């Protein structure tokens, strides 16, 4: 992966920058020893690594502001970091960069059940936001699979989704306001505990801007009353195509499940071996989850089952208890770990129109043969958000490059059928150079001009999202 | 000034904007003359019309910006689907003609009562094409439900009132229509109770899809709570809600009142109307201010979104002099500035010709960002200039 040439002037001034940072932060919050900065060399896209020059861990918005003022003054690139769980390299440093981690800022600032909002510091983990409102039977809806570890800051940067967003939407649909520090240190508040701000929807463009517009330190989030209960139906088919048609039919029938998950044969087999969830032998498995009271759940499960039966499933299992639900979800939830046990893999997340599903799965199979790399598919079928896992051997020369090449072809395929490069992981460095496949240079130019407004010197996470060639003039000033 | 421009396709639209020698007033169906409207060459998207693709199984539709909302709704209804964000039709309230268009709905981020449950127009807009102030045709987003490829300019464009670009095509997420709906009316005796009752309803797990108030001609307040879905589900949830909400007052079931709640047709005779969005419980502060300012002259009020959306209206007797009406306007916007949210003037026979801020003024930092963004999208400042001021 190509990264920009480091700014030698910045590297030369390292000591001066560290000294300035120590004036605004306690000693333990400034990490400049190469043995320790190594801890920040990558995020969850571990194929690419590069330790930063310095890492800082501020505890307050004011400290974030002071840090950014220093970096702005010395023109140091800053890479914001939540928990470092990005699958797209969103928090990958450059050698001349300062990693700005918000992990220490994890407090709940306000819970307001009457207005159904919570205000948290952005380093708080996704799951612990729900944890903070559980006592009143509320939850925070977006549920990326890394929710135990991932921070709200990263969720906002990447506009994270999750399995349940078919019903509840992604981060942008659940984010009401932010406190954000701009690159020059100015602190701004956008939105709040209300639905409509005045003026342009600036919050909407901040969410999903991959840490390139500012460092979000506080977030106001919508919380929802927990449903009375939830249970899945598991449906097994002998063909991907039929499973795909079944998904479309469920949606057309007016049932809106909270999740429709799809697994293909390679994934089913790996998961079964790993988790022993008791999945049947089949080509495609759907897990459809519905919510409500006992009667409502049964009613919806019956509707789904009767639609599924029209497509002659080889097995259909309605969960009747917590234990059965857990068993059905077990394999799916362990999918990534299970694949990780048998192979290195790259997880893509291109999204396609649901109608293109069978066609895309067939063509991915073709690509798998062409490249000689095994692929498993596990994804959110209701919204067309694919997750092909391309398996490769990191120790084998050339395998990563082969995997990258195949990944690029899969993502181009997603764009070709009317979809997009990434549905929930973000562009980061991983898909940066494919952006021209989805957007014209003019389309990218207008996006980059938005960054110009917030960060005219292009210091915030500068080598991400846009092809290096497209952003070059801006990055080099 | 020559007649209205009606570009017939995107390249024509692009030419019309790049060839403009002065400001343009961008119109869809022209049903929402809200905000500051300066004299300018009119440009209408009405000829850019038609549904491009509709995939009911994928819950998506792509249509040209000038497509009438009515046409879209008919097409969706045939597949038992709908625009879940329930866009308000302003024609009754504002006494306008014409057909509301998809582009207009997105440009003004027009939503209805169901917003509290499912989101606003901006949440259902998956992608769009638009022509910027230089006449450049651009696109952002796509036609799939989940998309984080690059910056989300879709949100920025939604609700930008044509000040950043002229929309030419929009991709929408649509949802299944519900099998049935039931609405409860809870007869409360105060606004405090009304807000408390709506908050209590929205705190239940029963998926309330509307929480608003409606006053009768004697000023008695009814809280409306709607549940939608499959028959069995609605019956169950309504029973549960009745048990939860009876402490707030007598409860009756109503025939569908939501068209009036959404469109405020009966407010047509009112001469001045504001639309205010604040934290739901702050609605009471807005009402307290209005009582203080209007004293025995009174005012009309409707709460929606559980109290998060407040409509304030004055009739001719309640707003007959410039001074008091201006005072109400300025006081409302000043209070909203301290609470957060917005207070926009929607119509006023008395105030519209004065030099006032129709839209809630922005905090300083946000105002600078906004101004700089506009310069990027529309360097010549020709697209609906000052509309949002």
């Amino acid at each position: 992966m190509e990264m920009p040439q480091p700014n030698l002037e910045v590297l030369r001034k390292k000591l001066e920058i560290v000294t300035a940072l120590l004036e605004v932060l306690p000693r333990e919050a400034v990490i400049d020893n190469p043995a320790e900065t190594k801890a920040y060399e990558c995020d969850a896209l571990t194929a690419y690594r590069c330790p930063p020059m310095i890492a800082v861990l501020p505890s307050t918005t004011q400290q974030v502001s002071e840090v950014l003022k220093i970096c702005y003054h010395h023109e140091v690139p800053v890479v914001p970091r939540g928990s470092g769980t990005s699958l797209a390299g969103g928090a990958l440093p450059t050698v001349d960069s300062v990693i700005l981690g918000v992990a220490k800022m994890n407090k709940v600032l306000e819970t307001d059940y009457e207005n159904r909002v919570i205000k948290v510091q952005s380093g708080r983990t996704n799951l612990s936001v729900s944890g903070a409102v559980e006592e009143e039977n509320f939850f925070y809806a977006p549920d990326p699979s890394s929710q135990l570890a991932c921070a709200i800051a990263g969720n906002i940067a990447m506009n994270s989704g999750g399995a349940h967003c078919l019903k509840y939407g992604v981060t942008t649909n659940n984010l009401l306001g932010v406190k954000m520090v701009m690159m020059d240190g100015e602190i701004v508040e956008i939105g709040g505990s209300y639905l409509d701000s005045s003026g342009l929807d600036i919050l909407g463009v901040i969410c999903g801007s991959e840490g390139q517009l500012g460092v979000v330190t506080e977030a106001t989030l919508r919380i929802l009353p927990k449903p009375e209960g939830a249970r899945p139906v598991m449906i097994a088919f002998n063909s991907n195509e039929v499973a795909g048609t079944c998904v479309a039919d469920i949606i057309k029938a007016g049932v809106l499940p909270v999740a429709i998950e799809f697994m293909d044969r390679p994934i089913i087999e790996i998961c079964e071996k790993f988790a022993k969830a008791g999945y049947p032998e089949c080509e495609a498995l759907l897990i459809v989850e519905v919510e409500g009271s006992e009667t409502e759940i049964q009613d919806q499960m019956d509707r789904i089952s009767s639609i599924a039966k029209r497509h002659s499933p080889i097995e259909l299992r309605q969960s009747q208890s917590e234990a059965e639900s857990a068993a059905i979800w077990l394999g799916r939830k362990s999918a990534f770990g299970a694949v990780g046990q048998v192979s290195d893999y790259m997880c893509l997340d291109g999204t396609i129109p649901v109608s293109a599903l069978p066609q895309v799965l067939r063509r991915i199979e073709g690509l798998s043969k062409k490249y000689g790399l095994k692929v498993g598919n596990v994804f959110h079928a209701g919204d067309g958000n694919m997750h092909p896992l391309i398996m490769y051997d990191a120790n084998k020369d050339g395998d990563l490059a082969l995997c990258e090449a195949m990944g690029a072809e899969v993502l181009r395929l997603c764009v070709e059928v009317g979809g997009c490069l990434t549905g929930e992981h973000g562009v980061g460095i991983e898909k940066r150079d494919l952006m021209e496949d989805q957007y014209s240079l003019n389309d990218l130019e207008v996006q980059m001009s938005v960054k110009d407004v917030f960060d005219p010197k292009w210091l915030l996470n500068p080598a991400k999202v846009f092809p290096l060639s497209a952003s070059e003039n801006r990055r080099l000033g | 000034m020559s007649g209205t421009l009606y570009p017939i396709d995107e390249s024509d639209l692009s030419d019309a904007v790049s060839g403009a020698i002065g400001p343009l007033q961008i119109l869809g169906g022209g049903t929402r003359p809200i905000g500051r409207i300066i004299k300018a060459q009119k440009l209408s998207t009405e000829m850019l019309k038609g549904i491009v693709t509709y995939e009911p199984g994928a819950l998506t539709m792509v249509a040209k910006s000038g497509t009438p909302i009515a046409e879209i709704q008919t097409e969706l209804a045939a597949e038992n689907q709908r625009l879940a964000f329930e866009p308000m039709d302003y024609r009754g309230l504002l006494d306008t003609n014409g057909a509301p268009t998809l582009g207009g709905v997105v440009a003004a981020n027009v939503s209805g009562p169901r917003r509290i449950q499912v989101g606003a127009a901006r949440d259902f807009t998956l992608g769009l094409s638009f022509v910027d102030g230089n006449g450049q045709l651009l696109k952002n987003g796509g036609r799939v439900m989940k998309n984080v490829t690059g910056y989300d300019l879709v949100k920025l464009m939604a609700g930008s009132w044509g000040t950043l670009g002229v929309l030419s095509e929009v991709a929408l997420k649509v949802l299944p229509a519900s099998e049935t709906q039931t609405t409860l009316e809870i007869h409360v005796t105060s606004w405090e109770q009304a807000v408390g009752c709506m908050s209590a309803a929205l705190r239940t797990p029963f998926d309330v899809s509307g929480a608003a108030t409606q006053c009768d001609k004697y000023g008695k307040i009814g809280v409306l709570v709607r549940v939608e879905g499959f028959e069995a589900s609605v019956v169950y949830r309504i029973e549960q809600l009745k048990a939860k909400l009876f402490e707030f007052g007598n409860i009756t079931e109503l025939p569908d009142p939501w068209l009036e709640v959404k469109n405020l047709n009966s407010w047509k005779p009112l001469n001045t109307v504001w639309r205010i969005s604040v934290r739901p419980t702050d609605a009471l502060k807005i009402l307290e201010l209005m009582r203080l300012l209007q004293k025995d002259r009174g005012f009309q009020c409707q709460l929606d979104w559980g109290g998060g959306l407040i409509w304030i209206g004055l009739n001719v007797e309640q707003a007959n002099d410039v001074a008091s009406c201006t005072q109400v306007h300025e006081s409302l916007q000043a209070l909203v500035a301290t609470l957060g949210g917005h207070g926009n003037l929607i119509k006023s026979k008395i105030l519209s010709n004065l030099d006032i801020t129709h839209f809630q003024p922005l905090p300083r930092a946000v105002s600078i960002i906004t101004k700089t963004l506009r310069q990027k999208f529309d360097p010549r400042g020709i697209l609906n200039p000052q509309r949002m001021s």
Side-chain angles (χ1 to χ4, degrees):
Chain A
M1 184 62 58
E2 193 196 343
M3 289 303 270
Q5 288 297 314
N7 182 339
L8 298 177
E9 178 64 11
V10 166
L11 291 174
R12 197 182 57 75
K13 287 198 292 188
K14 177 175 174 183
L15 193 62
E16 192 185 334
I17 295 163
V18 169
T19 311
L21 289 169
L22 284 172
E23 276 170 29
V24 298
L25 292 175
R27 177 66 255 190
E28 70 275 10
V30 181
I31 299 153
D32 61 325
N33 172 351
E36 291 173 78
T37 53
K38 201 170 177 341
Y40 298 91
E41 68 179 359
C42 69
D43 50 29
L45 184 66
T46 53
Y48 310 106
R49 294 164 195 263
C50 170
M53 177 174 71
I54 305 165
V56 295
L57 300 170
S59 304
T60 65
T61 301
Q62 197 52 44
Q63 285 180 350
V64 172
S65 165
E66 299 299 332
V67 167
L68 288 177
K69 276 181 201 161
I70 293 165
C71 294
Y72 183 77
H73 174 73
H74 292 285
E75 307 206 339
V76 189
V78 173
V79 177
R81 181 180 167 110
S83 300
T85 57
S86 171
L87 290 164
L92 178 75
T94 48
V95 281
D96 57 354
S97 68
V98 167
I99 281 272
L100 196 166
V102 294
K104 280 191 179 171
M105 303 175 63
N106 58 8
K107 290 190 197 70
V108 172
L109 301 171
E110 187 190 356
T111 43
D112 178 353
Y113 296 110
E114 267 181 296
N115 292 301
R116 302 163 304 282
V117 293
I118 184 170
K119 195 172 183 185
V120 297
Q121 289 185 318
S122 66
R124 193 167 181 89
T125 61
N126 173 293
L127 197 61
S128 71
V129 172
S130 285
V133 293
E134 208 170 11
E135 51 173 11
E136 289 286 330
N137 270 320
F138 275 79
F139 74 112
Y140 174 60
D143 59 341
S145 55
S146 57
Q147 68 178 155
L148 191 62
C150 65
I152 291 298
N155 289 182
I156 294 170
M158 293 312 200
N159 188 14
S160 303
H164 292 79
C165 55
L166 184 57
K167 178 169 178 191
Y168 295 114
V170 295
T171 304
T172 191
N173 313 111
N174 292 279
L175 174 70
L176 295 173
V178 293
K179 182 181 271 187
M180 183 176 89
V181 188
M182 310 257 284
M183 188 60 217
D184 62 4
E186 174 156 16
I187 300 165
V188 294
E189 298 218 35
I190 316 256
S193 309
Y194 35 84
L195 291 174
D196 277 339
S197 294
S198 50
L200 299 174
D201 189 353
I202 294 170
L203 185 65
V205 75
I206 288 169
C207 188
S209 61
E210 307 207 5
Q212 290 198 312
L213 302 185
V215 177
V216 171
T217 58
E218 291 177 13
T220 305
L221 307 166
R222 199 163 74 104
I223 49 171
L224 298 172
K226 260 194 200 167
E228 289 176 273
R231 284 208 311 270
V233 190
M234 188 202 77
I235 318 161
F237 292 99
N238 253 334
S239 109
N240 286 331
E241 203 140 359
V242 177
T245 318
C246 182
V247 170
D249 282 358
I250 291 171
I251 290 172
K252 260 194 284 188
V255 190
L256 195 65
V258 277
I260 307 181
E261 297 291 294
F262 188 124
M263 298 158 81
D264 71 356
R265 180 181 274 278
I267 291 288
I268 300 166
E269 284 174 356
I270 293 172
C271 289
E272 190 49 33
K273 238 181 237 165
F274 179 82
K276 306 201 172 37
Y279 289 161
E281 248 208 68
C282 59
E283 288 302 316
L285 199 67
L286 296 180
I287 300 175
V288 187
E289 181 151 281
V290 295
E291 285 180 346
S293 67
E294 277 308 305
T295 347
E296 289 177 292
I297 288 175
Q298 199 51 54
D299 176 57
Q300 291 178 76
M301 291 215 290
D302 291 346
R303 284 170 196 264
I304 289 165
S305 300
S306 77
I307 296 164
K309 280 178 187 155
R310 294 206 298 264
H311 298 283
S312 321
I314 54 171
E315 192 173 330
L316 190 151
R317 219 183 279 166
Q318 289 190 359
S319 159
Q320 297 300 342
S321 67
E322 287 270 327
E324 281 179 45
S325 301
I328 290 175
W329 275 110
L330 179 67
R332 166 63 186 92
K333 286 195 169 158
S334 55
F336 290 69
V339 177
Q341 290 282 313
V342 298
S343 175
D344 299 304
Y345 68 86
M346 180 178 272
C347 171
L348 305 171
D349 78 317
T351 302
I352 56 167
V354 180
S355 52
L357 206 56
Q359 179 202 349
V360 170
L361 287 174
R362 258 200 318 275
R363 286 177 63 185
I364 290 180
E365 208 180 314
L367 289 170
S368 167
K369 289 198 181 104
K370 176 178 156 192
Y371 284 88
L373 295 174
K374 200 171 167 187
V375 181
N377 286 285
V378 46
F379 54 92
H380 315 310
D383 43 33
N385 192 186
M386 313 268 300
H387 283 102
L389 305 182
I390 308 176
M391 293 167 238
Y392 70 101
D393 183 353
N395 295 318
K396 190 169 149 195
D397 266 355
D399 232 27
L400 174 61
L402 204 60
C403 174
E404 285 177 341
M406 177 173 165
E409 273 208 61
V410 170
L411 293 181
R412 287 197 187 102
L413 168 62
C414 292
V415 174
E416 181 198 316
V417 301
C420 66
L421 297 173
T422 168
E424 57 184 6
H425 297 170
V427 178
I429 50 158
E430 194 196 24
K431 284 146 265 184
R432 186 188 66 188
D433 298 311
L434 294 169
M435 285 292 273
E436 284 172 69
D437 287 288
Q438 181 161 343
Y439 287 118
S440 73
L441 276 175
N442 286 341
D443 296 333
L444 292 177
E445 181 62 32
V446 67
Q447 293 182 36
M448 290 190 290
S449 76
V450 170
K451 180 164 171 63
D452 294 341
V453 171
F454 290 82
D455 176 23
K457 292 191 190 180
W458 273 63
L459 294 170
L460 271 169
N461 225 3
K464 314 285 168 67
V465 186
F466 305 103
L468 286 185
S469 56
S471 65
E472 189 174 12
N473 290 339
R474 290 177 153 92
R475 282 181 293 106
L476 301 180
Chain B
M1 210 156 298
S2 56
T4 305
L5 301 172
Y6 290 97
I8 52 161
D9 57 26
E10 285 177 334
S11 111
D12 205 14
L13 170 63
S14 176
D15 290 346
V17 175
S18 62
I21 47 166
L24 294 170
Q25 185 190 341
I26 319 300
L27 294 166
T31 63
R32 294 177 206 90
I34 298 166
R36 193 192 301 266
I37 297 172
I38 63 161
K39 279 211 160 58
Q41 168 70 52
K42 288 182 178 164
L43 187 158
S44 166
T45 57
E46 274 184 302
M47 299 300 284
L48 299 167
K49 61 180 172 190
I51 292 166
V52 181
T53 55
Y54 173 33
E55 280 191 58
L59 300 175
T60 50
M61 176 186 270
V62 182
K64 303 274 184 209
S65 62
T67 312
I69 286 293
E71 184 182 330
I72 289 172
Q73 281 168 329
T74 308
E75 202 67 22
L76 291 174
E79 293 289 340
N80 206 23
Q81 296 187 339
R82 68 183 174 195
L83 296 176
F85 56 94
E86 218 177 2
M88 171 180 183
D89 183 342
Y90 274 90
R91 283 177 294 184
L93 174 63
L94 299 180
D95 199 10
T96 47
N97 300 307
T101 62
L102 174 60
V105 160
V106 173
N109 190 24
V110 178
S111 313
R114 207 180 286 112
R115 176 174 192 184
I116 42 162
Q117 185 199 28
V118 299
R122 55 94 87 177
D123 299 293
F124 285 84
T125 308
L126 301 173
L128 39 81
S129 301
F130 64 97
V131 168
D132 73 4
N134 289 324
Q136 208 174 197
L137 179 65
L138 300 165
K139 68 173 194 307
N140 190 262
R143 63 178 176 96
V144 286
M145 297 244 221
K146 276 165 87 182
N147 187 347
V148 295
T149 318
Y151 293 174
D152 191 350
L153 303 185
V154 171
K155 303 285 183 301
L156 193 62
M157 297 301 295
S160 67
W161 290 82
T163 62
L164 299 178
V166 187
L167 301 180
S168 58
E169 194 173 287
V170 176
L172 288 170
K173 171 181 169 179
V174 300
L175 284 181
S178 35
E179 192 176 273
T180 184
Q181 75 89 26
T182 299
T183 299
L184 296 177
E185 180 172 19
I186 302 102
H187 304 274
V188 298
T189 50
S190 70
W191 289 107
E192 286 76 7
Q193 272 192 340
V195 171
C197 178
M198 289 188 286
S199 176
L202 290 165
R203 278 183 74 161
T204 67
F206 305 123
D207 249 343
V208 168
S209 74
T213 64
Q214 186 173 260
C215 293
D216 67 12
K217 58 183 174 195
Y218 309 107
K220 287 200 172 138
I221 310 164
V223 169
L224 308 176
V225 173
R226 174 173 66 182
V227 175
E228 297 171 289
F230 292 119
E231 179 80 40
S233 184
V234 171
V235 170
Y236 167 77
R237 289 172 185 221
I238 283 294
E239 284 317 306
Q240 295 292 315
L241 281 165
K242 278 182 183 166
K244 278 256 187 279
L245 303 177
F246 85 95
E247 62 177 289
F248 292 95
N250 284 335
I251 301 180
T252 46
E253 281 185 26
L254 277 190
D256 191 343
W258 295 96
L259 199 64
E260 173 57 27
V261 173
K262 171 167 78 92
N263 296 339
L264 288 162
N265 285 325
S266 66
W267 283 33
K268 188 176 187 166
L270 300 192
N271 94 10
T272 303
V273 174
W274 290 270
R275 180 185 188 276
I276 297 160
S277 172
V278 290
R279 179 193 287 242
T281 46
D282 283 342
L284 297 173
K285 295 181 185 157
I286 300 286
L287 295 177
E288 193 187 311
L289 173 73
M290 285 306 297
R291 278 193 293 264
L292 200 73
L293 293 169
Q294 285 298 105
K295 299 194 181 77
D296 4 326
R297 273 180 302 182
F299 61 96
Q300 331 287 316
C301 168
Q302 179 186 287
L303 303 185
D304 197 349
W305 302 350
L309 176 66
I310 307 152
W311 292 94
I312 299 283
L314 304 178
N315 61 27
V316 185
E317 289 81 46
Q318 292 162 338
N320 54 9
D321 68 291
V322 175
S324 73
C325 203
T326 309
Q327 195 199 3
V328 171
H329 178 72
E330 287 173 353
S331 308
L332 278 174
Q333 288 194 337
L335 178 59
V336 171
T338 65
L339 300 174
H342 84 227
N344 292 351
L345 181 68
I346 297 302
K347 74 166 187 181
S348 178
K349 292 215 168 71
I350 295 191
L351 300 176
S352 57
N353 294 324
L354 302 180
D355 185 23
I356 50 148
T357 49
H358 296 246
F359 279 50
Q360 178 76 33
L362 301 171
R364 191 197 63 89
V366 178
S367 161
I368 294 168
I369 294 171
T370 302
K371 203 171 146 200
T372 328
L373 276 170
R374 286 226 169 84
Q375 279 163 2
K376 299 285 181 190
F377 282 76
D378 176 24
R380 294 184 292 162
I382 59 166
L383 301 177
N384 274 355
Q386 299 175 50
R387 182 72 183 254
M388 294 177 76
S389 63

